[in-house]
Amino acid sequence: MPNSVWRKSALIGLIGNPNAGKTSVFNALTGMNAKVGNYAGVTVEKHSGTFQAGDIECEIVDIPGLYTLNALSKDEEIAAEAIRGTSDSERPADIMVVAIDAVNLERNLFFFSQVIQLQTPIIVVLTMTDLLGGRGMSVDLAKLEEMLGVPVVAVVAHKRTGIARLKMAIQQVLESGQTPPAIEFSDIKDRYRWAESVFHASVKQDPAARKKSRTDKIDKLLTHRFFGLVFFLFVMYALFQSVYTLAKPLMEVIENVFDFVGNKLSAMLAPIPWLQSLIVDGILAGVGGVAVFLPQILILFGLISVLEGSGYLARASFLMDKLLSWCGLNGKAFIPLLSSFACAIPGIMAARIMPDSRSRLLTILIAPLMSCSARLPVYVLLIGAIIEPKYGPVVAGLTLFAMHSVGVIMSIPIIILLNRKVLRANKLPFSMELPPYQMPKWRDVFNAMVGRGKVFLQTAGTVIIVMSVIIWGLLYFPRSAEADARYLTEYRTSLSTAQKEVISEENYVDGKRLENSILGNIGRAIEPAFAPAGFDWRISTAILAAFPAREVLVSSLGIIFDLGSDQDEESNHLRGAMREATWPDGRPLLTTGATFALMVFFALCSQCGATLATIKRETNTWEWPIFTFVYMTTLAYLMAVLVNQTINLFSK
């Protein structure tokens, strides 16, 4: 075997056009569950796995799909280097397995014409062969193999059909070391002519059946300028209504479970108050704050996987590119950004569908600006406490709509600024293959849900626990029996009977503890900085406490206003306390300006540790989560000051 590349272990590159079925072949060979979708660009990072071909241990690498070896983006360049064997970090593959979509054989052959000139041993795996009948097509495998000069194996990967023959072919090529015949092409047109000749020689197609393509008929409606957008809006409404409706009872179950466990642990640890508070208020509250989002993550990614698997997601991106491209955003960004209105975490993770690293990073950086569901309680509390009593329900409703629009409006100049000053890259043209419609593969949908849920819990969970414990420590210490005794004396001697009917002894002590905690002292120290926005030390302290998760703002305000942590956004006591709160000189604390400023601050500020942890996971660096935190927090502060000062100016 003079040309053999056989060895005890071999490296195999799995390559092909986007959406050619590579990942399905990868999963069938390795038994793994890498994400699969009927959508170009599913493979955005390297997957590798192993399998046995005869007595050879094979490692196979699923390389992101390419239409050509002449790369346009950085991602494509890395993939092209891996195929050429010129990568600094990867050793050259022993053989290449080229996935070719049987339904789009002629187009796929253009890429093959470039790969064959690398003179690396090649096997062609012909995918999507189960769809040929519906297109009125059939492929003469023997003729195709003769014209390509390399082994051709037809597979239906999700049914494992043909996988054994593929392994056998891999073993034979590894042992023989057979390289493909040399074919010379004079120019691009020559490649296309060669691909056309191979197609016509090896494929039989019934023209009548081609005209009756189901995909063509459906696309006439779903990509229509008017009806396509109407259907798209309906699908998106159904998607997010489903996320809210289906996730809500599951989220309540998780909250009840954590409440039950918290109550049990609280009773068990009562003799050791600091440990009780650390476990229940710090660690358990932090874990619960992450786990409660899991139903939204699973449902959202399950539904997106269904849209991917059906082939509709590619059409949705095509429709949205016309609406987003004017400000420098790729049409595929629509799904991640819309997902972020439910929660930024799945939105950031969904940015993996973006076609290149620049547009993916841009989408990740602006996704937290979309008004997630965790901001809603803040809006409801402040609108119910200040805006509605002053201006009525119509203005209250408009205010709620405006708060959900703030992030969208602000994202436009930020996109332009990031494009021109930070990322400094030209927008790639929108190009995407529209795959055939088909039924989603439920195994792939399930795997996508489990995979995304696992990544979410592993990344967001670990960071949020650390951050929760840190904030707990800042809120808990210092604490002493002498100080508690002093607070009790103040309560019994200073408060009127009417005040004692609203404020319990326990809540008063908790409020004083928070006021004199490390975080409370920091809140007082930074009060001068927040004063231009209309915030005193109480609001400042609540803002600081909400940085790990903005959901805790309402309960923090409950403690600060001596009403206890069990207050919610509908609490009349809390709304009344905030309405009546004053500065030391008697001025109202939450004026119209300060109220709008506080809502705008929460609409724009980065106050979610899980979101920052997810950005770290997706970008593999702390640079971008720090950048996101700094730019969003700075923007929130400046806009809050601007809003308060402007409204106060016109209120005089």
Side-chain angles (χ1 to χ4, degrees):
M1 297 184 289
N3 296 320
S4 172
V5 294
W6 181 90
R7 56 190 68 169
K8 288 184 178 179
S9 63
L11 181 64
I12 298 170
L14 179 58
I15 62 177
N17 281 182
N19 204 41
K22 292 186 294 87
T23 306
S24 293
V25 174
F26 174 85
N27 288 341
L29 282 171
T30 63
M32 295 174 67
N33 294 315
K35 187 177 184 297
V36 178
N38 184 24
Y39 189 97
V42 167
T43 305
V44 293
E45 60 184 22
K46 185 186 82 171
H47 295 293
S48 66
T50 60
F51 67 93
Q52 201 76 20
D55 56 354
I56 305 174
E57 178 74 19
C58 297
E59 179 186 1
I60 186 166
V61 179
D62 184 6
I63 298 172
L66 293 172
Y67 291 110
T68 172
L69 291 179
N70 301 319
L72 289 175
S73 69
K74 185 66 178 176
D75 289 349
E76 291 177 349
E77 186 179 321
I78 293 171
E81 287 178 352
I83 294 171
R84 291 194 183 97
T86 56
S87 171
D88 293 333
S89 57
E90 304 284 348
R91 74 176 175 91
D94 296 310
I95 67 170
M96 290 290 178
V97 173
V98 185
I100 289 183
D101 175 4
V103 177
N104 296 293
L105 181 63
E106 185 175 346
R107 174 174 52 72
N108 281 230
L109 286 175
F110 177 84
F111 177 69
F112 177 85
S113 74
Q114 293 182 315
V115 176
I116 198 172
Q117 291 186 307
L118 300 177
Q119 286 297 291
T120 301
I122 291 176
I123 295 173
V124 166
V125 55
L126 200 62
T127 62
M128 318 275 185
T129 51
D130 54 333
L131 302 180
L132 289 173
R135 296 292 186 100
M137 299 169 64
S138 62
V139 178
D140 184 340
L141 289 181
K143 187 64 178 178
L144 182 62
E145 192 169 89
E146 175 191 335
M147 298 197 71
L148 298 183
V150 301
V152 177
V153 181
V155 303
V156 181
H158 66 277
K159 295 180 180 176
R160 305 293 195 269
T161 304
I163 297 302
R165 289 199 302 277
L166 177 59
K167 289 183 177 179
M168 189 181 303
I170 290 173
Q171 180 188 6
Q172 290 171 351
V173 172
L174 282 170
E175 291 177 347
S176 69
Q178 177 187 357
T179 56
I183 304 178
E184 295 299 327
F185 300 100
S186 56
D187 53 25
I188 291 179
K189 290 181 179 178
D190 197 26
R191 292 183 190 277
Y192 280 118
R193 281 194 293 269
W194 173 81
E196 184 181 8
S197 66
V198 173
F199 174 79
H200 287 300
S202 57
V203 175
K204 293 181 180 178
Q205 189 171 24
D206 179 359
R210 178 68 183 85
K211 290 178 183 176
K212 297 176 182 176
S213 165
R214 182 182 60 179
T215 292
D216 291 342
K217 292 178 181 177
I218 298 175
D219 269 346
K220 281 187 178 179
L221 175 65
L222 299 192
T223 59
H224 190 273
R225 288 184 177 180
F226 176 74
F227 295 110
L229 283 174
V230 171
F231 183 79
F232 169 79
L233 292 174
F234 169 76
V235 169
M236 291 302 111
Y237 171 78
L239 188 152
F240 285 96
Q241 186 62 42
S242 300
V243 170
Y244 274 112
T245 305
L246 298 177
K248 189 174 181 180
L250 297 173
M251 294 172 78
E252 290 176 352
V253 169
I254 293 175
E255 287 176 339
N256 290 335
V257 168
F258 274 88
D259 286 345
F260 175 79
V261 174
N263 290 335
K264 290 291 183 184
L265 288 174
S266 187
M268 291 171 57
L269 299 172
I272 315 174
W274 71 268
L275 185 60
Q276 176 199 50
S277 182
L278 171 62
I279 299 295
V280 177
D281 301 330
I283 297 174
L284 195 64
V287 174
V290 170
V292 75
F293 290 113
L294 189 60
Q296 284 189 345
I297 300 287
L298 296 178
I299 293 170
L300 181 62
F301 275 94
L303 294 175
I304 288 178
S305 295
V306 169
L307 294 178
E308 284 182 4
S310 68
Y312 180 71
L313 204 57
R315 276 80 182 177
S317 298
F318 168 74
L319 289 170
M320 292 310 299
D321 188 65
K322 295 178 181 176
L323 299 179
L324 297 177
S325 59
W326 70 272
C327 66
L329 209 57
N330 191 289
K332 296 179 185 177
F334 171 75
I335 292 295
L337 297 183
L338 199 59
S339 303
S340 299
F341 276 95
C343 176
I345 295 167
I348 291 167
M349 294 165 72
R352 287 173 169 238
I353 65 175
M354 302 305 294
D356 61 275
S357 58
R358 174 201 152 277
S359 57
R360 182 180 174 220
L361 180 57
L362 183 61
T363 305
I364 288 173
L365 295 179
I366 63 170
L369 283 172
M370 304 302 112
S371 190
C372 68
S373 57
R375 290 172 167 106
L376 183 60
V378 181
Y379 302 152
V380 172
L381 172 65
L382 293 169
I383 290 172
I386 309 297
I387 304 301
E388 187 172 2
K390 279 188 177 180
Y391 304 103
V394 174
V395 175
L398 290 174
T399 302
L400 186 61
F401 174 76
M403 287 304 110
H404 279 85
S405 305
V406 167
V408 176
I409 295 170
M410 291 305 302
S411 68
I412 295 172
I414 290 173
I415 291 169
I416 296 172
L417 195 64
L418 288 174
N419 267 325
R420 295 181 179 176
K421 301 297 182 182
V422 180
L423 302 178
R424 295 184 178 181
N426 295 323
K427 179 180 181 292
L428 291 177
F430 181 82
S431 62
M432 174 180 283
E433 175 189 349
L434 298 183
Y437 291 105
Q438 62 185 33
M439 281 295 293
K441 298 177 179 62
W442 301 112
R443 175 191 172 93
D444 296 336
V445 173
F446 176 78
N447 289 338
M449 294 171 66
V450 172
R452 293 297 92 199
K454 186 177 177 183
V455 168
F456 167 69
L457 290 177
Q458 286 177 338
T459 55
T462 49
V463 172
I464 198 69
I465 289 173
V466 173
M467 296 182 70
S468 298
V469 170
I470 292 172
I471 292 295
W472 168 84
L474 295 174
L475 284 168
Y476 189 86
F477 297 106
R479 191 170 291 197
S480 67
E482 293 77 11
D484 286 353
R486 190 169 63 252
Y487 303 150
L488 283 173
T489 301
E490 289 177 5
Y491 178 83
R492 290 164 184 166
T493 59
S494 302
L495 270 65
S496 65
T497 303
Q499 287 176 310
K500 289 178 182 177
E501 288 178 357
V502 177
I503 303 172
S504 70
E505 192 173 86
E506 181 183 2
N507 289 339
Y508 182 82
V509 172
D510 284 343
K512 285 296 180 183
R513 285 170 171 169
L514 188 149
E515 179 181 342
N516 292 287
S517 67
I518 298 173
L519 202 65
N521 283 305
I522 294 175
R524 268 198 291 271
I526 65 172
E527 182 183 284
F530 276 107
F535 308 157
D536 73 343
W537 74 267
R538 291 167 290 185
I539 302 297
S540 303
T541 302
I543 287 173
L544 293 176
F547 267 101
R550 51 179 65 88
E551 293 91 332
V552 305
L553 176 83
V554 176
S555 59
S556 296
L557 288 172
I559 296 172
I560 290 170
F561 285 99
D562 300 331
L563 298 170
S565 61
D566 57 348
Q567 300 297 306
D568 60 30
E569 64 273 17
E570 302 287 349
S571 168
N572 289 327
H573 286 309
L574 182 55
R575 289 180 175 183
M578 295 180 68
R579 200 160 39 237
E580 295 166 6
T582 60
W583 290 87
D585 60 6
R587 289 178 293 124
L589 173 62
L590 285 171
T591 60
T592 300
T595 303
F596 272 100
L598 186 53
M599 288 191 288
V600 167
F601 186 89
F602 270 80
L604 300 176
C605 190
S606 173
Q607 290 174 298
C608 182
T611 294
L612 296 175
T614 306
I615 294 175
K616 158 67 173 61
R617 166 64 176 76
E618 295 300 300
T619 61
N620 201 31
T621 173
W622 277 108
E623 177 186 354
W624 294 115
I626 291 172
F627 175 83
T628 303
F629 177 82
V630 171
Y631 102 75
M632 286 186 65
T633 304
T634 304
L635 177 68
Y637 174 78
L638 294 176
M639 290 304 298
V641 172
L642 179 64
V643 167
N644 182 50
Q645 295 297 326
T646 303
I647 293 178
N648 287 344
L649 181 65
F650 286 99
S651 298
K652 292 179 180 177

